[in-house]
Amino acid sequence: MSRKKTDSHQSSEGVEMTNFLSFFHSIPDLLFVFDSDGLIIEANNTSVEKLHYSREELLGKPRLLLYPPELHNDAERCLIENISGKISFCPLPLLTKSGVLLNVETKLRKGKWNGKDVIFSISADVSDKLQVAESARKNEERYKILFGNINDGVFVHEFTGQGFPGTFLEVNDIACERLGYTREELLTMSPKDIDTPESFALVPSMMKKLKLEKHVVWEGIHISKAGKRIPVEISNHLFEMDGKSVILATVRDITDRQRSEELLRKSEEKYRKIFENVQDIFYQADINGKIVEISPSIERYSGYKPEELIGMNISEVYQHPADRKEMLQILSAKGEIEDYIIKLKTKDLKEVFVSANIHMLLGLNGKPVGIEGSLRDVSERVLAEEKIKASERLLRTQNEEYVSLNEELKAAKEKAEESDRLKSSFLANMSHEIRTPMNGILGFSTFLADPLLATDIREAYVKIINTSCEQLLHIVNDIIDISKIEAGQIDLTESMFDLNDLFKEVFLFYSPVAKENKVELIIRPLTGRLSDIQSIISDRTKLRQILDNLLSNAVKFTHSGKIILRCEVKDGFLQFEVEDTGIGIQSELQNAVFERFWQVEKSYTKKYGGTGLGLSITRAYVERMGGTIGLKSELGKGSTFFFNVPYKNSLKEEKELAESHPGDHAIIKNLTILVVEDEEINWLYLNEILKSKATTLHALNAKMAIEYIKKYPEIDLVLMDIKLPDINGLELTGIIKKINSKVKVIAQTAYALSGDREKAIEAGCSGYITKPIKRQELLNLISLYSESRGRF
């Protein structure tokens, strides 16, 4: 070969090598060339950049420099398996100069480099791909956690071409738990399978709205696998998933919310009845004097209907409009007005004297927003006062023999004024006492409508509403009791009962509250001949109310120390003492605490609340039962209230009672209980208490109850509502007893009037319980008649 041809050939090879190296260094993967000794003889620019070495630092170094020491053995094995074709890629990371691992997939092949046997290494950087995969994995994990742990049921189902929801595609654990189905069962079902017929009838209109608005919220009723009806709020979202239209349904159980709304409705109804039937006039006006609410009693005094006055300025019904300006000045200075006499114009332009008790209404910022008050017709009193004044003027001109008479009239006038002032103050306080629980009920019930409210907060709000309802019920009971006392209608209903059982009841009732206040509640054992005095004859209901009034006061006014209830037989009387280590009572006030309405004027009433009627009712009951009541107290060191009632016992009756009413036991299993109740909310509540204890049946009226008694002879117990839509519950009890004499009947009623218990027992009932029904009280009563006690 000529020299010229050889040079041309070498020149061509040089060009090819240059092109190859240019290609070699431009490849975005990491390229290495290793000789047979495992030394690096070449590395491309990508390798230098990503591993942060210079080419000089790499060339001639062992290829294991590229791996962390703990992976050297794995790197050698990977080389052998990759070259032999056992694996396609080596997944080991490469080590940068700074010690950071670079995620790569490496392929190794044998080859020639400048005529020598070498190994080519091609490593693709997969860091970004791994990050994307990890991010996707974390997103999926977050979705699973959220989907599985959300407190609401979640359903994903198809949105069919016909505009109806199709089969469920996914459900969460809460949905399965509430409905009682497995996930596999639900994934073969559709909304039609879990909706009540009346609820599913709403679906077509909801789906049309969903198609237009993409989101719709509505209420329906689901049916669990066990047949339980569950009121729900359904939030539907329409969106695309994998090219298909699907519906995401978030389902919230609103049983508690509906129960609270029903309690609120009943409480509002009670408040409205009181408001509409009270004798005095209650009203509210805004800061400008415009009447915003007024009680119906206004019509009796003025001839105006409430709707005629609402919106009118209150000064328009004043005989002297300047009176309002003067009253506002007093309100600004004192914040309230008591027994302020003003003249009102009636609709036929006559005059009426009224006593005004008014206080300012403040907004959240503490500034006045209106006034609220009560008005009492005192025309007769004013005329009497004017006559008294005229008489006084006449008496001054007469001789000394009429001086004593004048003093008696003056004393009578002062007593009448004092009585009227106390009653007016009482009514003003009653307005506050009624509105305080109403404020809690109305305020917190609105919060329950928030779908995002946490479960623990929702439960706290429901507890506040329940407490407020009980407080309102207690106020109404006090008003009824004092009315019966004033009317002289206190009847005694005596029966034989175990006094120790009564003590157990009050201890179980008050010990949780005392414990919460960190106060020790102690019931001292009866002293005297214990076997003789356990069973007594007395009015159990009134004795329990006397103890309730004294113990509730002790708990209210005791913040540390102890409360002790004692009892002993002495001189033919049962002597009771309730001792506390509370705030005590000033000596000069101790004679007044049993007076009606007295407490409402004292400063601590605003701190502790109350109607001021409890001790007055207690004294009336004790005296009606033939006993006396008194107290010993020292300010800051506590009080001891003591009373006695005649002691009557019967050993024979006690023995019979003990044989028929042994000690407390749990309800036996497999009881069948028929609940006769026409109010759905009451049935739901009773069923919730009993469903885990017994098999329950529900009759809405007497006709259904009789059918059940005939059809199911295995019925052990009947919870009988006294007030039914077709016949009286006591009459129905007699019919049931004729059909099945062995079945036991427990009467339940909302009246709780004197003698009701005896009427129930006389009608054939085995027990009696009053509404509102306490869960544990009902279970304890049922346990008296279970088979474990030999009753069936």
Side-chain angles (χ1 to χ4, degrees):
M1 183 182 297
S2 67
R3 181 177 181 83
K4 183 177 181 180
K5 188 174 181 180
T6 301
D7 290 342
S8 175
H9 177 71
Q10 290 177 346
S11 174
S12 176
E13 287 182 348
V15 170
E16 289 178 2
M17 179 58 72
T18 299
N19 290 338
F20 174 76
L21 289 174
S22 175
F23 173 73
F24 182 82
H25 287 293
S26 65
I27 290 177
D29 293 336
L30 289 79
L31 300 181
F32 293 94
V33 181
F34 307 136
D35 65 12
S36 58
D37 295 323
L39 300 179
I40 302 170
I41 60 176
E42 190 57 81
N44 70 345
N45 290 339
T46 303
S47 301
V48 170
E49 291 173 3
K50 292 200 173 187
L51 297 181
H52 308 302
Y53 286 103
S54 65
R55 294 184 74 256
E56 290 72 19
E57 289 175 314
L58 290 172
L59 299 182
K61 301 298 190 296
R63 77 179 187 87
L64 292 179
L65 172 71
L66 303 176
Y67 299 97
E70 64 272 15
L71 296 180
H72 285 179
N73 290 336
D74 293 333
E76 290 297 336
R77 184 173 62 255
C78 216
L79 170 66
I80 295 169
E81 292 179 351
N82 199 244
I83 291 175
S84 64
K86 290 183 179 180
I87 58 175
S88 300
F89 291 99
C90 179
L92 299 178
L94 297 180
L95 184 67
T96 67
K97 183 178 179 180
S98 59
V100 176
L101 294 177
L102 181 67
N103 291 308
V104 295
E105 289 182 350
T106 303
K107 192 169 185 178
L108 300 164
R109 288 288 183 271
K110 292 181 178 180
K112 293 286 186 177
W113 182 268
N114 291 332
K116 296 181 178 180
D117 290 330
V118 295
I119 296 173
F120 292 101
S121 172
I122 305 174
S123 300
D125 185 350
V126 294
S127 298
D128 291 342
K129 184 172 73 173
L130 291 177
Q131 287 179 355
V132 170
E134 178 65 14
S135 177
R137 185 192 65 77
K138 287 182 177 180
N139 284 338
E140 184 175 357
E141 184 177 335
R142 291 190 194 102
Y143 161 76
K144 287 182 178 178
I145 292 172
L146 177 63
F147 189 75
N149 291 280
I150 191 170
N151 285 328
D152 294 329
V154 179
F155 300 82
V156 179
H157 51 81
E158 298 174 332
F159 185 68
T160 66
Q162 292 78 27
F164 280 91
T167 305
F168 294 127
L169 302 174
E170 188 57 85
V171 294
N172 69 348
D173 293 342
I174 292 295
C176 298
E177 180 182 332
R178 286 182 180 167
L179 292 174
Y181 290 103
T182 65
R183 181 174 178 275
E184 291 71 21
E185 288 174 323
L186 281 175
L187 293 183
T188 65
M189 301 164 66
S190 72
K192 186 175 182 180
D193 299 315
I194 63 172
D195 282 348
T196 61
E198 63 270 25
S199 180
F200 192 74
L202 301 174
V203 170
S205 60
M206 291 299 106
M207 292 301 101
K208 288 181 182 179
K209 187 175 181 183
L210 179 64
K211 193 170 184 180
L212 292 173
E213 300 178 8
K214 307 303 181 186
H215 176 223
V216 63
V217 179
W218 56 293
E219 291 185 3
I221 300 176
H222 282 175
I223 294 290
S224 72
K225 188 175 183 179
K228 179 183 176 183
R229 294 168 65 92
I230 306 171
V232 293
E233 180 183 78
I234 305 167
S235 177
N236 283 333
H237 293 265
L238 182 63
F239 63 97
E240 295 291 323
M241 185 173 74
D242 297 332
K244 294 181 179 180
S245 293
V246 297
I247 299 172
L248 173 65
T250 305
V251 180
R252 175 160 294 173
D253 186 340
I254 57 173
T255 302
D256 287 343
R257 187 176 84 191
Q258 289 189 350
R259 184 179 294 118
S260 297
E261 288 171 351
E262 177 63 16
L263 287 173
L264 173 62
R265 184 193 65 76
K266 290 186 176 180
S267 297
E268 287 177 338
E269 184 179 344
K270 290 179 182 177
Y271 162 73
R272 178 54 57 186
K273 286 181 179 178
I274 294 172
F275 182 73
E276 290 177 351
N277 290 283
V278 72
Q279 294 294 315
D280 289 348
I281 303 163
F282 287 91
Y283 76 96
Q284 281 187 352
D286 65 19
I287 197 63
N288 297 315
K290 186 170 70 175
I291 299 171
V292 296
E293 187 168 12
I294 193 162
S295 61
S297 51
I298 186 65
E299 188 173 359
R300 290 194 296 270
Y301 299 118
S302 70
Y304 286 105
K305 294 182 181 297
E307 55 267 25
E308 293 178 286
L309 291 174
I310 292 175
M312 184 186 296
N313 195 290
I314 196 167
S315 61
E316 295 181 40
V317 296
Y318 289 167
Q319 185 69 30
H320 304 294
D323 285 346
R324 182 172 184 269
K325 183 178 180 180
E326 185 176 345
M327 285 196 299
L328 287 176
Q329 291 175 345
I330 299 174
L331 275 174
S332 298
K334 297 184 177 181
E336 62 181 3
I337 293 175
E338 290 187 5
D339 199 22
Y340 187 91
I341 307 299
I342 57 176
K343 285 183 181 180
L344 296 184
K345 289 186 298 188
T346 65
K347 193 172 182 179
D348 56 4
L349 302 181
K350 293 180 181 179
E351 290 183 352
V352 177
F353 288 94
V354 296
S355 169
N357 288 274
I358 304 169
H359 64 269
M360 194 77 74
L361 294 174
L362 303 179
L364 295 176
N365 58 3
K367 294 183 179 180
V369 295
I371 60 173
E372 179 180 67
S374 64
L375 305 174
R376 168 171 290 187
D377 183 358
V378 291
S379 299
E380 293 183 3
R381 192 186 89 185
V382 171
L383 292 174
E385 289 174 352
E386 290 178 352
K387 288 179 180 179
I388 290 172
K389 290 176 182 177
S391 298
E392 288 175 347
R393 287 192 297 269
L394 179 62
L395 286 170
R396 289 191 192 100
T397 64
Q398 295 178 345
N399 56 38
E400 294 181 356
E401 68 183 65
Y402 293 104
V403 172
S404 59
L405 178 60
N406 181 59
E407 291 298 324
E408 291 176 8
L409 288 172
K410 185 178 179 181
K413 167 182 169 289
E414 290 175 351
K415 185 175 181 180
E417 288 175 342
E418 173 68 8
S419 176
D420 194 65
R421 185 180 65 80
L422 286 173
K423 288 184 179 181
S424 297
S425 181
F426 164 74
L427 289 171
N429 183 65
M430 283 304 300
S431 174
H432 169 77
E433 288 296 320
I434 290 172
R435 288 175 183 278
T436 296
M438 284 300 300
N439 185 54
I441 295 167
L442 292 171
F444 283 95
S445 62
T446 58
F447 296 156
L448 295 179
D450 183 359
L452 301 178
L453 197 65
T455 300
D456 56 341
I457 297 176
R458 184 183 300 279
E459 291 173 352
Y461 288 176
V462 170
K463 183 177 180 181
I464 291 171
I465 292 172
N466 288 336
T467 301
S468 298
C469 290
E470 290 180 358
Q471 183 180 349
L472 190 59
L473 180 63
H474 183 74
I475 293 168
V476 173
N477 287 338
D478 273 359
I479 294 172
I480 293 172
D481 287 342
I482 204 67
S483 298
K484 291 167 65 177
I485 290 169
E486 288 186 339
Q489 295 178 347
I490 308 177
D491 296 324
L492 294 182
T493 305
E494 293 188 334
S495 61
M496 186 180 66
F497 60 92
D498 191 312
L499 190 58
N500 280 339
D501 284 349
L502 179 60
F503 281 0
K504 289 178 184 178
E505 285 181 20
V506 296
F507 180 79
L508 291 174
F509 186 85
Y510 287 101
S511 59
V513 182
K515 188 179 294 183
E516 186 176 338
N517 293 342
K518 298 182 179 178
V519 174
E520 184 181 7
L521 177 61
I522 301 171
I523 307 292
R524 294 294 188 197
L526 293 171
T527 58
R529 290 185 300 163
L530 184 61
S531 61
D532 292 348
I533 63 177
Q534 284 182 334
S535 179
I536 68 169
I537 298 174
S538 188
D539 189 322
R540 191 183 195 277
T541 300
K542 288 183 175 56
L543 184 57
R544 169 63 190 267
Q545 189 165 349
I546 292 168
L547 294 174
D548 279 342
N549 287 340
L550 296 179
L551 286 170
S552 65
N553 275 351
V555 170
K556 183 190 298 185
F557 297 113
T558 304
H559 308 299
S560 63
K562 61 184 66 176
I563 298 170
I564 305 174
L565 170 61
R566 303 184 183 90
C567 180
E568 64 176 347
V569 176
K570 186 176 181 182
D571 299 328
F573 284 84
L574 283 171
Q575 305 279 354
F576 295 86
E577 285 188 2
V578 176
E579 179 185 346
D580 66 63
T581 56
I583 63 176
I585 303 171
Q586 295 169 262
S587 58
E588 62 270 21
L589 300 179
Q590 291 178 15
N591 290 331
V593 297
F594 295 105
E595 295 298 326
R596 205 168 304 157
F597 315 130
W598 174 83
Q599 184 182 4
V600 297
E601 292 201 319
K602 304 309 168 189
S603 60
Y604 63 75
T605 303
K606 293 182 179 178
K607 176 179 179 182
Y608 294 100
T611 62
L613 298 175
L615 290 178
S616 176
I617 294 170
T618 297
R619 182 177 68 177
Y621 282 173
V622 169
E623 292 176 351
R624 179 65 180 83
M625 294 170 73
T628 59
I629 188 168
L631 81 153
K632 297 179 293 184
S633 183
E634 187 175 347
L635 191 63
K637 294 187 178 180
S639 305
T640 299
F641 284 82
F642 50 86
F643 71 94
N644 60 34
V645 294
Y647 165 57
K648 305 174 186 177
N649 78 319
S650 173
L651 295 177
K652 179 180 180 182
E653 283 116 342
E654 183 206 10
K655 183 178 180 182
E656 293 174 356
L657 183 67
E659 290 173 351
S660 62
H661 291 76
D664 290 333
H665 289 274
I667 298 175
I668 66 164
K669 300 294 183 182
N670 302 321
L671 281 182
T672 300
I673 299 176
L674 172 61
V675 179
V676 184
E677 174 60 67
D678 62 324
E679 291 289 341
E680 180 69 11
I681 190 69
N682 292 341
W683 152 246
L684 292 174
Y685 175 64
L686 293 172
N687 186 52
E688 192 66 26
I689 295 174
L690 300 173
K691 66 182 183 182
S692 63
K693 307 289 184 183
T695 300
T696 57
L697 301 172
H698 179 209
L700 290 167
N701 50 45
K703 182 179 178 182
M704 289 180 64
I706 293 170
E707 290 176 355
Y708 276 125
I709 290 294
K710 291 178 178 179
K711 184 176 181 180
Y712 301 103
E714 68 269 25
I715 292 175
D716 302 302
L717 183 68
V718 178
L719 278 181
M720 177 68 70
D721 185 18
I722 298 300
K723 186 180 180 183
L724 293 173
D726 40 8
I727 67 172
N728 182 278
L730 297 182
E731 183 180 344
L732 175 59
T733 298
I735 297 172
I736 289 176
K737 283 291 188 178
K738 290 180 181 178
I739 299 172
N740 184 351
S741 61
K742 293 183 178 180
V743 69
K744 301 298 179 182
V745 180
I746 296 177
Q748 47 157 333
T749 178
Y751 293 120
L753 297 177
S754 178
D756 278 357
R757 181 187 298 273
E758 288 67 27
K759 291 177 183 177
I761 301 302
E762 185 179 340
C765 297
S766 301
Y768 176 90
I769 190 168
T770 60
K771 300 176 182 177
I773 293 173
K774 300 288 193 303
R775 176 180 181 276
Q776 194 56 49
E777 183 180 355
L778 176 62
L779 294 178
N780 288 343
L781 186 59
I782 292 176
S783 72
L784 290 173
Y785 306 106
S786 65
E787 288 184 355
S788 62
R789 301 180 57 81
R791 302 294 291 180
F792 294 114

